[in-house]
Amino acid sequence: MLPPLVKGQDTLKSKRPKIGLTLSGGGAKGLAHIGILKAIDSAGLSIDYITGTSMGSIIGSLYASGYSADSILYIGRHIHWDQLLSNQSSLRNIIMEEKDEYAKYDLELPWVNHFFRISTGVLEGQELWLKFSEMLFPVYKIKNFDSLDIPFKCIATDISTGQAVVLDSGEIVTAVRASMAIPSVFTAVEYQGHLLVDGGIVRNFPVKDVREMGAQFVIGSNVTSSLLPANKVSNALQVLLQIAFFREAEDTKMEVPLCNIYVQTPLEKYSMATFSSADEIIEAGLEEGRKLYPQFKKLADSLNNLYGTQVVEKELPDVHSVKISTYEVKGLKFTTQDFFIHTTGLLTNHVYTPEMLAHMVRRASGTRYYTLINYQLIPQPDGSAKIVFDVVESPLTFAKLSLHYNQFTGISAILNLTSRDFFTPNSRSLVTLNIGENFRVRAEHLQYIGRDRKFALKLSTQFDQQNITTYVNTKEAGIYNQNYFVMDGKFGYSTNRDLTIGVGTRFEWIKYNPSITSALEFKGTNNFPTSYFYFDQNSLDRPVYPKKGIKSGMEADWVFTQNPAIQLHTNVLDEDTISASNPYPRILFHFESYTPLSDKSTLMFLLQSGLNFQQGSMLNEFSIGGLTYTFHNQITFAGLREGSYYSPSTAEIQAGFRYNFYGNLYLTARGNVMFNNFVRSDGQFYNTPDFLSGYALTFTYNFVLGPLELSAMYCDQWKKVMGYVNIGIPF
C-alpha cells in the first residue's frame, strides 16, 4: 500500500515511498533485466535503491552509476561476450616470440607448492575486469556505494563460511566481479579480507537487502528458473550446479513475497551460459518490459499525483580521464616493479583514459608473466590519482595437454612442459612431445635480451618420425617412413608486438626408408646446414579462426653443401638428379589475411610460395597438399591430401569465405590455384602438373578440444571428391 496523501510540499516529498529494485543473478539470462529498466525509464519511474547478484549486480551497478537503460541496452548488444568470457587476450597483445604457443593447449596445469594444481575456477576473467573498469571509470572516486546516483549493494558468498556477504563499499569493479564469480567457472575473488564467489549460491534474489536499505515498494526482476527435475539432470556439470544452488532456491522462495511487483521473464529455453543468444534474451526482456510499462506508468503517475511530480534525473559523472601522479604494484614475487611498469609503459604525471589504462594492462599481460592484473584509482588531494596494480603472477612452470587428430598424422596426445627463468633469467624453456601414430619431440630455449624484450635468441631442436604416402596418377602408390631431425639457432629483433626480423642457422638431417615400395624407390639419408634471413608478422586478433589481421613470413635461405647417401632403384631418374649436393639459394613465403565483412562473416586470402634455385634438389622439394600445416616443406592445398605432389618451385593463391552461422558453428568455403615448376622442372616426383586448382568446403564446431573440422575437397586435375578430418591444433 502507498502512504496516504498529506499536506505540505516538503512533507509530501519526505513521505513519498522509496522504490527499490532487485535484479537476480542468472548469467546470460540476466541480460533480460535491461528490458525492465527500459520500461522503468520510459514510465518516468524513479528508483531509490538497487540490489543485485551476479549478472544482476553488473546491470544494477551500471544503472546505479548513472547509465540510462538505453545506454545499457547499447552495451549489452555490442559487447563481444565470447572474448570477455574467455581466458584469452587478443593475440595482438602478445609479444611476437610468444604467439606460436599462446592458447594452443586444451589444459594447462600450473606448478605450485611442488604440485600441479587446478585453479579455483576455469576463467580468471581478465577481460571482464578491464571491461568493468572501463564502464565504471566515471565513478572511480566513489568508494561508498550509497554515494552513487542510486544507492547500490551487491551480494557475494564467502567461500570459507558459505555465508552471504553484502558489498556496499570499496572498489565497485571488484565487488561486481566477486558477485558473479560462479564456482568452477570463474576464479574466486579476494575482497576486503574475504575470498568470495558468486552470491547466487546463497542469495540470488536479494529483495530483503533492498528492503533493509529503506525501500517501501519493491520491483523484483528474477530471470532464474526452478531447480531441474531429476530426469533433466543428465551430466556432471548439471549435478554440480544443481547442488550448488540448493540454498539459493530455498532463499528465493522467501524473497519473492517481499516484492510488490514481481517479474519473471520466460527464459526456459536459455541457460546461464547461452551468451550466443544475447540478442534474443535482451529482446525477451524488452517484450516483458512492454507488458509491464502500463503498470509502471500507472505507479509513476499515482506517485506524482499523490506526492507531487518528481523529475527523474540520472546522470553519469562527467569523468573521461585521470592524471596519474604515482603508482604501486602489489603481488610481485618473480618479477620486479621496474619490469612491470616498463612493460605497461606507464608514465607518471600523464593523463590517461580508461581505454589507455586497459591497453597498458594488456601489454603487461602479453609478456605471459601475469595471470591477472587489476587496478584501482585512489584520488589524491591535488585532483590526480594514485594507481594501485594488484597483480597475480603466472606460475613459472606449466604442464600442458591437448589432443589432436588428423587423417595424415593420426591421433595423438600432445604433452608440453614450459618453464620460465629455469636456466637463466628472462627466458622460457619448453619440451613438447607428440605421442601417437607419428612420434615427434621438440625442445626450445628462448632468451630475451634487454628489458624491452625486443631482442631474443632462440635455440631449438626437433625430431619427427612420420609415415608419408606417395601417389601416382591420383592413386596411393607407396608409403615412406621419414625421420627428420633439425637443430636451429636464430637471433631476432621485434620492432613491435606484430613484427620480427632476424637471422639464423640450422642443421637438418633426413632419413628415408620405404615401408611400402612404389615405382620410384629410394632410401638413405641426407644432411646439410642452412643459413637464413627471416621476417615474421602477426597482427591476428586470435590464434584460432581469426576475424581480422595479417600473418606473414618470408625466409631467404642459403643451403650449404649437402651430404646425401641415397640408394636409388628406378629407371626414371639417375642418382645425380636426386642427390645433387651443390650449395644453392632458396626462398619461402607465406601471407594470410582476414577481413571482417560483418560480425559473422570473414573474407580470407592466402599466398604461399617455395622456390629452390637448384637442379637436383629433389630431397628438399616442397610437398603439396592437406588443409592443415603439419610438417616441414609442406605447402597446403585445398583439394589434395598431404604429399600428393612434390615440386622444386610452387606458388599458391587461395581465397575463402567463413561464416559463423550460430555460436561456435562455422562454414568455410575456399578455392585455390597453384603454379608449379616455373623455376626448374627437372628432378620432380612423378611429373607434377604445372597448374593445379581445387576447392574445399569445411564445417567446423569449435569446442573445448579445439576446432572439429569436417571437409569435402575437390581437385580439378584429380576429378574426385575427398573427405578430410582435423580435430584440434597440431603439434
Side-chain angles (χ1 to χ4, degrees):
M1 294 289 294
L2 297 177
L5 176 64
V6 295
K7 297 181 180 181
Q9 188 64 30
D10 292 337
T11 305
L12 287 175
K13 289 182 179 179
S14 64
K15 292 297 184 178
R16 186 184 186 95
K18 301 295 184 181
I19 308 297
L21 174 65
T22 294
L23 306 177
S24 76
K29 295 194 289 185
L31 294 170
H33 293 314
I34 299 173
I36 311 306
L37 298 182
K38 175 74 172 172
I40 289 172
D41 275 5
S42 298
L45 186 62
S46 176
I47 300 298
D48 298 290
Y49 305 106
I50 299 178
T51 57
T53 296
S54 197
M55 181 58 83
S57 73
I58 299 173
I59 305 296
S61 67
L62 294 176
Y63 196 67
S65 297
Y67 282 90
S68 67
D70 283 336
S71 297
I72 300 172
L73 177 61
Y74 181 86
I75 291 170
R77 281 178 167 166
H78 291 84
I79 275 183
H80 296 289
W81 292 105
D82 57 342
Q83 181 68 34
L84 289 184
L85 298 171
S86 73
N87 270 342
Q88 297 182 18
S89 174
S90 170
L91 191 62
R92 294 182 174 187
N93 299 317
I94 308 301
I95 57 179
M96 271 295 292
E97 298 294 346
E98 300 280 351
K99 291 188 178 187
D100 285 345
E101 289 290 310
Y102 181 64
K104 187 176 179 179
Y105 298 93
D106 305 325
L107 179 65
E108 298 189 4
L109 300 175
W111 178 262
V112 179
N113 296 328
H114 310 294
F115 293 98
F116 288 111
R117 69 173 180 87
I118 299 176
S119 66
T120 59
V122 177
L123 304 178
E124 295 288 351
Q126 176 71 81
E127 288 300 313
L128 271 177
W129 281 102
L130 293 178
K131 180 53 69 175
F132 292 164
S133 296
E134 289 181 37
M135 293 189 296
L136 295 170
F137 179 82
V139 296
Y140 83 85
K141 296 179 182 179
I142 299 175
K143 307 302 179 183
N144 185 328
F145 303 166
D146 284 342
S147 299
L148 293 169
D149 195 65
I150 302 173
F152 168 75
K153 292 182 180 181
C154 61
I155 311 300
T157 303
D158 190 322
I159 200 171
S160 62
T161 65
Q163 299 301 311
V165 178
V166 179
L167 307 178
D168 57 8
S169 63
E171 293 300 316
I172 189 169
V173 174
T174 309
V176 169
R177 169 64 176 83
S179 181
M180 62 161 297
I182 303 170
S184 78
V185 177
F186 290 103
T187 52
V189 176
E190 187 174 345
Y191 186 80
Q192 297 182 349
H194 299 273
L195 192 61
L196 304 179
V197 293
D198 195 305
I201 296 174
V202 292
R203 196 178 303 159
N204 194 55
F205 192 42
V207 181
K208 71 176 182 180
D209 297 282
V210 82
R211 287 281 186 185
E212 291 171 359
M213 292 175 76
Q216 298 158 279
F217 190 96
V218 177
I219 301 169
S221 177
N222 184 12
V223 297
T224 58
S225 304
S226 57
L227 293 173
L228 294 172
N231 63 343
K232 297 292 185 180
V233 180
S234 58
N235 58 55
L237 179 59
Q238 289 177 334
V239 171
L240 289 174
L241 290 175
Q242 189 90 333
I243 294 172
F245 290 101
F246 276 159
R247 286 178 61 188
E248 176 271 324
E250 289 300 315
D251 182 76
T252 298
K253 292 179 182 178
M254 295 184 289
E255 303 281 355
V256 171
L258 300 178
C259 297
N260 297 91
I261 298 178
Y262 177 64
V263 184
Q264 187 161 34
T265 305
L267 298 167
E268 290 78 10
K269 66 178 181 178
Y270 304 105
S271 74
M272 62 192 304
T274 51
F275 283 94
S276 59
S277 300
D279 288 340
E280 298 172 26
I281 294 171
I282 290 172
E283 188 55 44
L286 291 170
E287 179 60 30
E288 191 68 21
R290 294 184 192 103
K291 296 176 184 177
L292 289 166
Y293 171 78
Q295 191 173 357
F296 291 157
K297 180 63 174 172
K298 182 179 179 180
L299 176 61
D301 291 344
S302 298
L303 290 171
N304 289 337
N305 290 333
L306 287 171
Y307 303 101
T309 301
Q310 183 179 31
V311 179
V312 179
E313 295 182 355
K314 283 179 56 60
E315 184 176 358
L316 192 67
D318 187 22
V319 179
H320 304 287
S321 62
V322 61
K323 181 180 179 181
I324 304 296
S325 56
T326 185
Y327 60 82
E328 181 182 356
V329 186
K330 297 180 179 179
L332 296 178
K333 180 180 178 181
F334 306 124
T335 58
T336 66
Q337 180 170 274
D338 178 68
F339 171 78
F340 177 85
I341 294 298
H342 189 76
T343 58
T344 64
L346 175 68
L347 298 173
T348 55
N349 296 315
H350 279 63
V351 175
Y352 292 93
T353 64
E355 292 78 15
M356 294 166 68
L357 294 175
H359 177 68
M360 291 194 309
V361 168
R362 293 185 180 106
R363 280 183 57 84
S365 296
T367 65
R368 308 299 309 280
Y369 271 91
Y370 307 104
T371 300
L372 185 63
I373 303 171
N374 305 320
Y375 68 84
Q376 57 179 295
L377 298 168
I378 302 176
Q380 301 297 296
D382 63 356
S384 66
K386 176 183 180 180
I387 188 168
V388 179
F389 293 100
D390 194 357
V391 175
V392 177
E393 290 182 309
S394 299
L396 294 180
T397 300
F398 279 85
K400 306 177 184 182
L401 169 68
S402 64
L403 299 176
H404 179 246
Y405 172 79
N406 182 278
Q407 285 184 245
F408 174 70
T409 60
I411 190 169
S412 58
I414 303 175
L415 310 175
N416 173 276
L417 185 66
T418 297
S419 185
R420 298 185 184 277
D421 303 344
F422 184 78
F423 295 108
T424 55
N426 299 317
S427 67
R428 184 199 70 190
S429 304
L430 60 83
V431 176
T432 306
L433 289 174
N434 185 99
I435 302 174
E437 297 177 38
N438 293 277
F439 176 78
R440 310 176 75 179
V441 60
R442 178 167 65 96
E444 177 186 295
H445 179 77
L446 174 65
Q447 182 66 56
Y448 295 106
I449 301 171
R451 70 176 186 171
D452 287 338
R453 299 201 163 201
K454 290 188 174 182
F455 293 94
L457 175 66
K458 182 185 289 187
L459 304 175
S460 64
T461 185
Q462 181 170 325
F463 175 77
D464 297 345
Q465 186 179 50
Q466 294 178 315
N467 291 316
I468 300 177
T469 301
T470 59
Y471 297 84
V472 174
N473 297 325
T474 76
K475 295 181 180 179
E476 295 183 7
I479 297 178
Y480 272 79
N481 178 264
Q482 175 183 282
N483 293 338
Y484 174 74
F485 173 76
V486 61
M487 292 189 299
D488 193 6
K490 60 183 181 181
F491 181 78
Y493 170 71
S494 298
T495 59
N496 52 45
R497 301 204 173 193
D498 296 338
L499 182 65
T500 296
I501 58 174
V503 294
T505 296
R506 62 175 171 261
F507 172 80
E508 297 172 82
W509 175 87
I510 308 171
K511 180 181 179 180
Y512 303 91
N513 186 35
S515 55
I516 299 178
T517 59
S518 61
L520 173 61
E521 177 186 336
F522 66 95
K523 63 186 299 184
T525 64
N526 189 24
N527 65 81
F528 52 91
T530 301
S531 290
Y532 58 90
F533 166 83
Y534 72 94
F535 163 97
D536 286 327
Q537 179 190 16
N538 189 335
S539 62
L540 302 181
D541 61 335
R542 59 179 72 178
V544 177
Y545 279 38
K547 291 185 176 181
K548 59 183 177 180
I550 292 173
K551 183 177 182 181
S552 64
M554 188 274 291
E555 185 178 292
D557 297 348
W558 180 259
V559 180
F560 292 95
T561 302
Q562 301 178 68
N563 298 285
I566 299 294
Q567 297 177 7
L568 180 65
H569 303 284
T570 180
N571 295 322
V572 179
L573 301 171
D574 58 39
E575 198 159 319
D576 289 337
T577 300
I578 196 172
S579 59
S581 59
N582 296 329
Y584 68 94
R586 190 170 188 256
I587 294 177
L588 298 92
F589 178 75
H590 176 96
F591 174 89
E592 57 185 285
S593 69
Y594 300 85
T595 304
L597 300 179
S598 68
D599 287 342
K600 291 184 173 293
S601 58
T602 304
L603 181 66
M604 306 180 298
F605 185 72
L606 173 68
L607 289 175
Q608 293 185 93
S609 183
L611 309 174
N612 284 325
F613 298 95
Q614 160 75 22
Q615 179 178 351
S617 58
M618 189 170 180
L619 298 180
N620 212 16
E621 288 187 354
F622 300 99
S623 175
I624 298 169
L627 295 177
T628 306
Y629 185 82
T630 54
F631 60 100
H632 81 291
N633 280 356
Q634 181 188 2
I635 301 292
T636 60
F637 185 81
L640 295 173
R641 299 199 188 284
E642 292 85 350
S644 295
Y645 292 112
Y646 290 81
S647 176
S649 56
T650 181
E652 177 198 7
I653 303 173
Q654 182 184 109
F657 176 81
R658 183 172 66 225
Y659 186 74
N660 177 204
F661 56 89
Y662 182 79
N664 291 318
L665 299 177
Y666 298 84
L667 189 66
T668 305
R670 64 193 116 189
N672 46 208
V673 295
M674 177 175 282
F675 304 91
N676 301 304
N677 314 317
F678 50 85
V679 174
R680 290 184 179 275
S681 60
D682 44 18
Q684 59 174 306
F685 285 106
Y686 305 128
N687 299 317
T688 300
D690 292 340
F691 177 80
L692 292 167
S693 55
Y695 321 89
L697 187 65
T698 302
F699 171 82
T700 303
Y701 175 59
N702 196 15
F703 72 129
V704 66
L705 297 180
L708 165 59
E709 300 173 317
L710 305 175
S711 302
M713 306 188 302
Y714 181 82
C715 177
D716 290 318
Q717 287 67 38
W718 282 33
K719 300 187 183 304
K720 64 179 180 180
V721 177
M722 292 177 287
Y724 192 90
V725 179
N726 182 80
I727 304 175
I729 301 174
F731 178 83

